[in-house]
Amino acid sequence: MEHVSKRVTDATGTLTILHDIDFALQPRESAAIVGASGSGKSTLLALMAGLDVPSEGTVRLAGTDLFALDEDARAEVRARSLGFVFQSFQLLANRTALENVMLPLELAAAPRAREQAAEMLDRVGLSQRLKHYPKVLSGGEQQRVALARAFVVRPKLLLADEPTGSLDFATGESVMNLMLELNREAGTTLVLVTHDRALAARCERQLHIEAGRLLPA
């Protein structure tokens, strides 16, 4: 993130959501973005993913300037290099656990999609749940499916937005442990948005956002 700012304008005027955000993450690093509601955390995550366009500044992923690309090319980068995990899981209700995990592989025309998806679900402890639909899975199981789906393409960068926010403490701890294990195994850079300071402390680095500004480390 190179001197990135984000402003929005409506009938009441212009609001600056992010001010001159500047930092770099290394391969395999884990980082937590911490801040109060409305501080700009989710906007920052959307900019890192190329889903929102900065008003100023440059966003680079593995050396690629995301906003020098058109939207189709950014979508290709996301499919190839990014994984996402959300608080609300974002699983497709009409697909089984296996089919949900297969989806990014199929979109990337990867070989052995079914086998790779089954192997990843086994890795997250769900080998007995391959044919189950999300509605019959617990919240922790759904988030494990979401983790399997995110990691199955071995992304360069995983973005997680409050991934344990809708889980009870014990289940959230289990999911966080698994996420950090997978992060180390896959060599992925992990960026976690959270309100939970204890969760953030488990990452190698904390980035504190306050009123759209990155506080000094």
Side-chain angles (χ1 to χ4, degrees):
M1 305 290 286
E2 300 173 358
H3 301 288
V4 171
S5 296
K6 177 64 180 180
R7 293 182 293 274
V8 295
T9 302
D10 61 18
T12 64
T14 298
L15 172 67
T16 300
I17 300 173
L18 292 172
H19 305 255
D20 193 32
I21 303 295
D22 192 83
F23 67 88
L25 297 172
Q26 299 304 310
R28 310 179 77 92
E29 188 172 11
S30 62
I33 300 173
V34 182
S37 294
S39 60
K41 304 188 302 300
S42 293
T43 299
L44 178 55
L45 211 64
L47 289 168
M48 293 179 75
L51 293 168
D52 197 359
V53 180
S55 303
E56 294 170 354
T58 303
V59 180
R60 299 186 193 276
L61 175 60
T64 298
D65 180 350
L66 291 181
F67 296 100
L69 306 174
D70 62 23
E71 177 51 40
D72 287 344
R74 284 201 298 276
E76 288 182 14
V77 170
R78 281 193 292 272
R80 184 175 66 249
S81 301
L82 289 179
F84 298 91
V85 179
F86 303 95
Q87 178 176 345
S88 57
F89 317 134
Q90 298 288 345
L91 301 178
L92 296 177
N94 63 342
R95 290 181 179 243
T96 64
L98 181 64
E99 290 166 344
N100 266 281
V101 179
M102 286 172 60
L103 184 59
L105 294 168
E106 290 173 332
L107 291 173
R112 299 178 54 252
R114 181 173 294 272
E115 291 85 352
Q116 288 189 68
E119 288 167 7
M120 183 56 73
L121 282 165
D122 181 53
R123 173 62 188 83
V124 301
L126 293 176
S127 60
Q128 304 304 311
R129 297 292 218 173
L130 302 186
K131 297 181 180 179
H132 289 72
Y133 290 90
K135 67 180 180 181
V136 298
L137 300 175
S138 69
E141 288 171 334
Q142 289 186 63
Q143 195 60 296
R144 285 170 179 263
V145 174
L147 283 176
R149 182 182 60 187
F151 276 104
V152 75
V153 294
R154 303 187 72 83
K156 292 184 175 71
L157 175 64
L158 178 72
L159 302 174
D161 193 359
E162 299 284 0
T164 63
S166 61
L167 305 175
D168 63 70
F169 177 79
T171 305
E173 280 284 294
S174 174
V175 165
M176 187 62 190
N177 289 339
L178 180 59
M179 187 183 308
L180 291 171
E181 287 173 18
L182 291 172
N183 181 56
R184 288 190 292 270
E185 289 173 13
T188 297
T189 301
L190 171 65
V191 178
L192 170 72
V193 165
T194 183
H195 289 92
D196 187 333
R197 301 270 174 163
L199 203 60
R202 301 191 59 189
C203 294
E204 296 167 337
R205 183 175 176 188
Q206 291 81 48
L207 301 168
H208 296 271
I209 302 287
E210 186 174 297
R213 298 183 186 276
L214 184 62
L215 302 182

